[in-house]
Amino acid sequence: MRNELLKNRHQDPRIKYRGEAASRLDNLTDAVFGIAITLLIFNLTNPNSFQDLLTFTKTLPAFLISISFIILIWNEHLDFSEIYTLNDTRLTILNTVFIALVIFYVYPLRFLTLFLTNFFFNTEIAVNIQGDQVPFLMIYYGFVAFALYFVLYLFYHRALRLKGALHLNAFEEFYTRSQKKRLLIMFAVPLLSILSTVLINEISFIWASVIGGVTYFLYTPLIVFWYSKFKKESKEFDNV
């Protein structure tokens, strides 16, 4: 399935795709993502009555948001593995940590999305959390998000160290460094959210919850800025 997907993806002609044939480690990682999505489904309300069925239906927004985040993380891994492959001991270790974090990510992600669905859409889904515990939920979620993107950052850092063995061309080196900068943004934002939440929680748990969540809106301007700079600089390699 992964191989078929790779054939249909848009590929940059300036990049050599070394991992188009899925390895056993790729297949294991895909299986873990499948388990993560399954856990999202199995932990939703089991409908044994019509009222339960209505409650189950109300969990759909939370499920869609959760699965979107899972697919987003999976796509990050796919992008890396199709270009560089994972045939390296340190990358294998990093990949083991990564898939462990993916499974660990399921529960805080599901809990947070159910809580937010409840809060914004008044779905009355049973989510047991007190107001002063919300900042700790933000910290919990932020830590796992930070850890996932930090490990992905280390993937590209390792690939850059292996540029000789991988025979990276000039554009591929530029691309790898650019992805490191992007992932720096991706793990720095949840880290900033954690720090903001911890500091403001000493004053007000309400403002700590709000600021901790609003911090994630920084992703949009930062990624837009990164992308515009990446596109501009990558044009220098068009005729190489």
Side-chain angles (χ1 to χ4, degrees):
M1 181 178 178
R2 175 182 279 240
N3 291 343
E4 290 299 319
L5 181 60
L6 291 178
K7 291 178 183 178
N8 297 325
R9 283 163 64 91
H10 173 72
Q11 294 186 338
D12 194 317
R14 296 167 294 183
I15 294 177
K16 178 182 178 181
Y17 292 86
R18 301 162 180 81
E20 290 189 320
S23 66
R24 294 181 67 184
L25 190 56
D26 288 320
N27 292 331
L28 173 62
T29 305
D30 288 346
V32 169
F33 275 97
I35 292 170
I37 294 173
T38 302
L39 288 174
L40 286 174
I41 299 172
F42 282 172
N43 280 279
L44 297 177
T45 304
N46 184 28
N48 293 316
S49 66
F50 184 70
Q51 185 59 44
D52 289 342
L53 182 61
L54 291 177
T55 303
F56 175 80
T57 304
K58 291 176 181 179
T59 64
L60 180 61
F63 174 70
L64 292 177
I65 295 170
S66 298
I67 198 173
S68 297
F69 278 110
I70 294 293
I71 294 299
L72 185 66
I73 296 295
W74 174 78
N75 194 66
E76 290 276 7
H77 186 275
L78 178 64
D79 286 342
F80 179 87
S81 63
E82 71 173 328
I83 296 175
Y84 307 97
T85 78
L86 297 168
N87 297 322
D88 173 72
T89 302
R90 293 188 183 182
L91 285 174
T92 301
I93 294 171
L94 285 173
N95 197 79
T96 302
V97 175
F98 177 77
I99 59 179
L101 286 169
V102 168
I103 293 298
F104 196 73
Y105 186 56
V106 170
Y107 293 105
L109 177 61
R110 173 184 170 271
F111 194 96
L112 180 62
T113 52
L114 284 174
F115 170 75
L116 292 176
T117 302
N118 230 10
F119 183 80
F120 288 108
F121 300 106
N122 194 28
T123 52
E124 299 179 358
I125 303 168
V127 179
N128 297 317
I129 185 170
Q130 298 176 7
D132 59 353
Q133 294 175 324
V134 175
F136 297 101
L137 173 61
M138 299 301 299
I139 293 169
Y140 195 125
Y141 171 81
F143 173 76
V144 182
F146 158 77
L148 274 169
Y149 282 111
F150 183 67
V151 171
L152 286 167
Y153 172 88
L154 293 178
F155 270 75
Y156 284 93
H157 179 74
R158 181 59 181 167
L160 205 55
R161 288 291 186 91
L162 295 172
K163 63 181 181 180
L166 292 171
H167 304 291
L168 299 183
N169 60 39
F171 177 76
E172 288 172 333
E173 281 193 48
F174 160 75
Y175 176 85
T176 307
R177 295 182 191 279
S178 296
Q179 293 306 309
K180 283 184 65 178
K181 293 176 183 177
R182 180 181 64 84
L183 288 165
L184 175 62
I185 295 171
M186 296 304 292
F187 77 71
V189 169
L191 183 60
L192 180 61
S193 175
I194 292 171
L195 295 174
S196 300
T197 303
V198 170
L199 293 174
I200 300 174
N201 193 44
E202 297 294 326
I203 303 170
S204 168
F205 72 84
I206 296 176
W207 280 108
S209 304
V210 172
I211 299 300
V214 170
T215 303
Y216 288 93
F217 286 103
L218 289 172
Y219 272 136
T220 301
L222 290 174
I223 291 300
V224 168
F225 174 76
W226 170 86
Y227 184 73
S228 61
K229 187 177 180 182
F230 170 75
K231 292 295 289 184
K232 181 180 179 181
E233 293 180 354
S234 65
K235 289 180 181 179
E236 298 176 8
F237 297 88
D238 288 345
N239 298 321
V240 176

